[in-house]
Each structure stands twice: as structure tokens, then as C-alpha cells.
Amino acid sequence: MSTSPALPRLNRRALSRLAPDLRPAVDPAGLRPRIVHFGLGAFHRAHQALYTQNAAAVSSEPWGITAVAPRSAATVRALRKQDCLYSVVERHPDGHTCRVIGSVVGALSMGPDAEAVDALLTDPEVSVVTLTVTEKGYHRSAVGGLDTAAAPVAADLAAPPGAPLTTVVGRLASGLALRMRSDAAPVAVVSCDNMAGNGAVLARVVREFVHASAWPDRETVLARMDEAVTFPSTVVDRIVPATSDDDRSAARTALGLDDGLTVAGEPYRSWVLEDSFPAARPPWEHDGALFVPDVGPYQLTKLRLLNGSHSALAHLGLATGHATVADAMATDWGERLVRALCAEVAPTLPAGGPDPEAYAGDLVVRFRNPTMHHQLRQIGSDASLKITERWLPALRELRASGTDTPVLALALAAWAHGTRPGAPDRSDPATEALASCWNAGAPAAGTVSALLRTVGAADLADDTVLTAAVAGRFPALRAGRVEI
């Protein structure tokens, strides 16, 4: 939606118009490009860029970010037009707040600006590279390594020296190779994408690109990378919805300026990083980031408690006629469901992560926020893939130890209820296969068993106590009730 031309555009000249609490927490003119970030999406701008700004402000260290867009030249142009400034609107239950972010000091397009990107990747002052390119941007094969047969990867591997590269993996590998050849300072390459073990994933695909290249010194490059490049794993968390007209209006009202790049986020945010940085890094801990030896416990907690609760709310909420997470939380069962599921799953979590009870309390506050408008149908999509990660491993562990699992059984019943023929479409790749499990006149427990087999859980399908418990929840769900 275009904004009125009556307001001046947000840029550095316009900052003097703003009250101090609306301006960037740090003067952008005093920052230097010491971080290269691949990905110009809303999440980076509402998360890592905000942490970096606040860390620079508290420490007085000049940590600036040059953001590289793999494809979106339009976003690069828009950022440059605004001197790389933009605003973040936080959606609080009682209203919106807004502040301009100034940590991004440069914007490049990966293809047209390849020389500038390589110059930064070899710059000794750049000691951190971060990425938010989504899981697709890693071009992984079915076994987890680099898919060298994928057309974009194959084209990059075949490209002559100096030719444009189209994949982030190729561009990053090429830039790191140049850095290794110049014997530049060590660097940390930090994936901030929502994948388990994202650091190891990134390290593998980058190293496999180098190994598959035709570079005559590729083995030397790899050996040097072993000494000078680390790939810390991270866990990021903040709900960053699509920017709405209300968000744009809030920014315009607060700033009195035209910002074409406003992003929105919930008040909550967290960042957990593996403490594996071989050179200088921003003191992100000054803004609440955690540096830990192993992010695994935090990753599993997020998957099983946050994502698991989200899926449970989605399927039970849809079964009882609700549309958003906040709608489901406003029922008499929403909070009880979240707390009970977290308590049931907590014994499967390893030591060293967040306290499950406190984490559940944070989830209740976050999920209740009525301004987020998080759609249950979106969360409930692709459920045949999601529940195999979010619910089933914990369910297996609990049942193997002889622990009863009434909350997970309830959640499974709601999911199963939504797979029946004629149920509202939930956008799942297994929709037809799941619907075929419902045979008229067949015992309900048998249907549950067939559904579990369809999603690859034959062991759980053979658990007759579980399938009976799940089937026993169907009558209440058909009546629109959640009994917990």
C-alpha cells in the first residue's frame, strides 16, 4: 500500500525531526561495516539488526551491518533511498510502539554488487557474517549435504572465475576462499535460519561447495578454513508477521515520516548462540542474547514446547471454530492446554536449556497477544510433516518410559479429526492419503492407527493403548468441546 506523499521520507536528514526515543539508539554515521548479512527479509530487520544496534549503543563499538540481498533488488533500492533506515513496530496488547533502526549501514545486491560483496568478505574489519536465507537457500540434498545436482548450484560450480554466482552458498564459499587465500583474520559465519543444528548445516554445504569446485587450491582453502572459520549454531525466536496497514499507520503516526520499509514484531525476542567466535563480535549479550556451549537444549525446547504448543492450539482451535492463536487462548482451555502440554513434554528435554515452567509462562503471554493475528490455519498447514518433529519423538520417549500422555493424545485426536474426508482443507501434502484412512464403519482406533502409519509412525500405530486414548477423544471434538 503506497503512503501519502505529504510526509517527508525517512532518511538520515530527517532524524532530527524525531524525539530521542524514536531515533536509532546509535548514530548510524558512527558505525562501520563490520558484519555482512545475507538476506534482507523482515525477520533480520526485526531481530539481529535490532540486537546489533542495541549492542553498539551500549558498548560504543561501531558495529554496522552491510546487508546483501540474494535476489530482491527492490529492497536494496528502497533501503538506499532511506539511507538504510527503517522502523520496527512492536505490537503490544495495549497498543503499538515504534523506533527507527540504524544498524544497517549498507545494502548490496548479491549479483550486481558481487565485487563489493567479495571486498567485504575479505576485509579484516569484517569478523562476522550472518545469514537469514530460509532453509531453501542452503540447497540441501535428501541426505543433508549440498545438492550439487541442483541447477543453481551446478551453474555456480561451473561458472568461470569472476562470473556472477546465484546461490548464497556459492557466493559465501567464493568469498571465504578469497579470504583464506589472502590470509585475512578469522571470521565467524552465523546461520540465523530456523533449522536444527544450523551451524553444522551451513558448515557442511559451504565446505562441500569448496570441495566440489574446480579451484586448484581447494584443499588448501579447506585446511585454512579449519583454522580460521567457525560456524556457530543459533536459536532465534521472535514472531515477525507480515507488515499490515495498521503497522504502517502506526509508524507514520509515530514518526511523522514516510517509511516504505516498516516491519512489525511481537514484543518478545530471544537469541541463543553457540559461543564459538574466533575474532571480535558484537556484545549482543548486552541486549539479552545468550552465549552457551551448546544450543541443542534450547533448540529442542523451542521445537517441543513452542512449536508443539502452537500445533496443538491450531488443531484444537480449528476443531472448535477459532481462527487465531489469540482466539484459542481466550477460551477456557487455551492456557491450560499450553501449560499442560509443556509439563507433559518437559521430562523429554535435556538439561542445560530454559526452565520449562517459566518457558510455558512466556508462551502464554505471547500467545495471548491479540494484536498478532496469527492464523491457526497457517500453523496447522503441512501437519503431517510438522507433528513428526514436534510431537511424535516426545511421545515415543514418554511412552517408552511408561508415562501417560493425555495431552499429546488430545492433540493427536484434534489433528486426526481434521484429516477426515470433507474436513476443511488444511493444505497438507498427505491430504488424500490421510483421508483414505477413514473407512465407514471401521473402529475409530483402527483409523488412528492407519493415520499414524501414513505419517511414518508404525511403532505408535501399534500402541493400542495410545490409539484407543486418541479415538476416545473424538466424540467431544465432534461436539465442539475440548476436554482437558
Side-chain angles (χ1 to χ4, degrees), residues 66-122:
T66 295
V68 180
R71 286 172 297 279
S72 181
T75 305
V76 171
R77 289 193 297 270
L79 268 172
R80 289 174 176 173
K81 203 173 188 179
Q82 297 187 178
D83 297 328
C84 295
L85 299 172
Y86 62 92
S87 59
V88 173
V89 170
E90 286 192 353
R91 297 185 186 177
H92 295 263
D94 55 354
H96 295 344
T97 61
C98 179
R99 186 158 196 169
V100 175
I101 307 301
S103 54
V104 179
V105 295
L108 300 173
S109 293
M110 192 174 77
D113 299 319
E115 288 187 13
V117 174
D118 281 344
L120 283 168
L121 290 175
T122 56

Side-chain angles (χ1 to χ4, degrees), residues 419-421 434-448 450 478:
T419 66
R420 68 197 187 283
L434 294 169
S436 69
C437 295
W438 291 80
N439 297 316
T447 299
V448 173
R478 283 195 291 268

Side-chain angles (χ1 to χ4, degrees), residues 331-356:
T331 64
D332 62 357
W333 53 264
E335 178 177 346
R336 286 188 291 129
L337 173 73
V338 172
R339 292 190 185 277
L341 186 142
C342 290
E344 185 169 291
V345 171
T348 72
L349 300 175
D355 174 68

